């Protein structure tokens, strides 16, 4: 039986078919309430959670109350140009090695949080996000699944003006503004998927379908990414990998389309769930409009 871990108002909870159960209360104190500590004990918790009766739920899950399921990872890797069609639309060659940058953890927000637009050039990128479940280094691709807690949905929100300011470009700065990393709604264990390497993912902006692809189209699949990254950096429980976005981002559309205040970004991955993020004007944005937050 699969397990779904959520961050409900700062506390680690499991999402059952019938509602949520608080991890610390529901386990009579065996497990911690802190979401990061919970990720560190993922495999124990998954075993315990699989044995829970549906009637154990304490109440309904209200997605507006959910924070990022992994709020303070030690590392957030992100992969550029990992789908052939996206590399083609960007007019760039297929990479020969994974192109890695970081999204600093300050950018992470929950599945219903507002995205604060830093300029008039902010773009969407729906991505499968891998959540690491235990420490490891030099992990072989064929053993990678043993190190994965589960998957969640992510948005790699990108300010294209900031990203391409200067040469070489500054991916990390352009993609790490506060609120530029919505993730959630839950970390879903791998056994929830018939084939975790072939999931449909979509992104709609204000009702218009912009991206619609499958994770099997990745140039470097998840096990290869874990081998590549862990040969260089020790992976820790809770580390995140944004695995790249398929075709259909705004900056390569004709005409170009960027996010505007009031736009709602709906990001979905089969078997995981939905992110719904409304775009608002940031106080520091060049347009100088007043801040509007929900
Ligand atoms: Zn991306």
């Amino acid at each position: 039986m699969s397990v779904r871990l959520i961050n409900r108002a700062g506390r680690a909870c499991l999402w059952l078919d019938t509602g949520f159960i608080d991890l610390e209360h529901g386990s009579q104190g065996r497990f911690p309430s802190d979401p990061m500590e919970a990720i560190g004990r993922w495999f124990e918790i998954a075993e315990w959670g699989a044995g829970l009766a549906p009637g154990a739920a304490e109440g309904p899950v209200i997605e507006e109350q959910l924070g990022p399921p992994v709020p303070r990872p030690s590392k957030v890797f992100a992969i550029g140009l990992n789908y052939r069609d996206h590399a083609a639309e960007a007019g760039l060659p297929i990479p020969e090695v994974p192109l890695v940058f970081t999204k600093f953890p300050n950018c992470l927000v929950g599945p219903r949080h507002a995205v604060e637009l830093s300029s008039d050039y902010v773009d969407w990128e729906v991505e499968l996000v891998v959540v690491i479940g235990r420490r490891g280094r030099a992990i072989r691709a064929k053993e990678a699944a043993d190190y994965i807690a589960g998957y969640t949905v992510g948005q790699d929100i990108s300010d294209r003006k900031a990203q391409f300011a200067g040469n070489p470009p500054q991916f990390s700065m352009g993609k790490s503004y506060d609120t530029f990393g919505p993730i959630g709604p839950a970390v879903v264990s791998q056994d929830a998927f018939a084939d975790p390497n072939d999931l449909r993912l979509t992104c709609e902006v204000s009702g218009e379908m912009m991206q619609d692809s499958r994770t099997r189209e990745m140039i470097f699949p998840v096990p290869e990414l874990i081998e590549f990254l862990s040969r260089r950096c020790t992976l820790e429980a809770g580390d995140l990998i944004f695995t790249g976005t398929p075709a259909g981002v705004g900056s390569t559309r004709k005409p170009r389309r960027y996010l505007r205040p009031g736009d709602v970004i709906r990001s979905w991955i089969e078997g995981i769930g939905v992110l719904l993020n409304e775009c608002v004007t940031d106080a520091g944005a060049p347009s100088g409009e007043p801040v509007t937050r929900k």
Side-chain angles (χ1 to χ4, degrees), residues 125 127 156 175:
E125 295 190 353
E127 307 199 1
D156 177 17
K175 292 163 171 274

Side-chain angles (χ1 to χ4, degrees), residues 19-55:
F20 76 89
I21 180 168
D22 184 280
L23 200 58
E24 185 183 26
H25 298 158
S27 68
Q28 278 85 44
R30 179 179 164 198
F31 295 122
S33 64
D34 179 75
M36 292 309 301
E37 290 179 35
I39 293 280
R41 294 177 64 185
W42 174 268
F43 296 98
E44 270 178 89
I45 289 167
E47 196 179 339
W48 174 80
L52 284 172

Side-chain angles (χ1 to χ4, degrees), residues 22-282:
D22 184 280
L23 200 58
E24 185 183 26
H25 298 158
S27 68
Q28 278 85 44
R30 179 179 164 198
F31 295 122
S33 64
D34 179 75
M36 292 309 301
E37 290 179 35
I39 293 280
R41 294 177 64 185
W42 174 268
F43 296 98
E44 270 178 89
I45 289 167
E47 196 179 339
W48 174 80
L52 284 172
E58 294 174 34
V61 173
I62 298 164
E63 295 194 44
E64 284 74 10
Q65 296 177 341
L66 301 184
V70 186
R72 300 181 312 279
S74 75
K75 297 185 280 308
V76 183
F77 300 101
I79 312 299
L81 300 179
N82 199 25
Y83 285 76
R84 278 166 218 288
D85 53 358
H86 178 55
E89 75 177 355
L92 294 164
I94 302 293
E96 290 171 11
V97 294
L99 302 178
V100 185
F101 57 95
T102 191
K103 287 175 80 70
F104 295 106
N106 63 287
C107 74
L108 299 173
V109 291
R112 299 295 175 100
H113 200 283
V115 168
E116 299 174 4
L117 301 177
S118 52
S119 77
D120 294 334
Y121 299 92
V122 179
D123 205 347
W124 57 85
E125 295 190 353
V126 66
E127 307 199 1
L128 178 73
V129 175
V130 178
V131 181
I132 297 298
R134 61 165 60 105
R135 175 178 295 174
R137 61 181 299 214
I139 301 163
R140 295 206 195 124
K142 63 177 196 253
E143 294 160 356
D146 297 342
Y147 291 82
I148 297 172
Y151 297 102
T152 195
V153 184
Q155 260 293 339
D156 177 17
I157 302 288
S158 307
D159 183 322
R160 302 300 184 197
K161 201 170 179 183
Q163 181 182 349
F164 292 105
N167 184 18
Q170 312 194 55
F171 277 45
S172 294
M173 273 292 103
K175 292 163 171 274
S176 290
Y177 286 78
D178 289 352
T179 76
F180 273 25
I183 56 170
V187 178
V188 181
S189 59
Q190 298 171 85
D191 53 0
F193 312 102
D195 179 355
N197 293 309
D198 183 21
L199 305 176
R200 186 177 172 205
L201 72 172
T202 64
C203 177
E204 290 169 48
V205 177
S206 296
E208 184 180 349
M209 184 68 84
M210 299 295 189
Q211 297 183 281
D212 185 357
S213 188
R214 302 194 68 91
T215 59
R216 67 165 183 245
E217 304 295 335
M218 286 182 194
I219 296 166
F220 300 102
V222 169
E224 288 181 34
L225 292 175
I226 288 176
E227 178 169 313
F228 180 88
L229 295 169
S230 70
R231 206 179 280 162
R232 292 154 176 82
C233 306
T234 298
L235 302 184
E236 304 286 347
D239 283 355
L240 303 180
I241 308 170
F242 280 69
T243 56
T245 202
V249 300
S251 53
T252 59
R253 304 183 86 88
K254 295 182 180 67
R256 291 180 184 173
R257 164 86 158 86
Y258 293 105
L259 294 164
R260 292 286 171 259
D263 273 338
V264 175
I265 312 162
R266 183 182 190 277
S267 317
W268 171 81
I269 300 180
E270 176 182 5
I272 304 176
V274 169
L275 309 177
L276 271 180
N277 304 103
E278 184 177 353
C279 299
V280 300
T281 305
D282 178 72

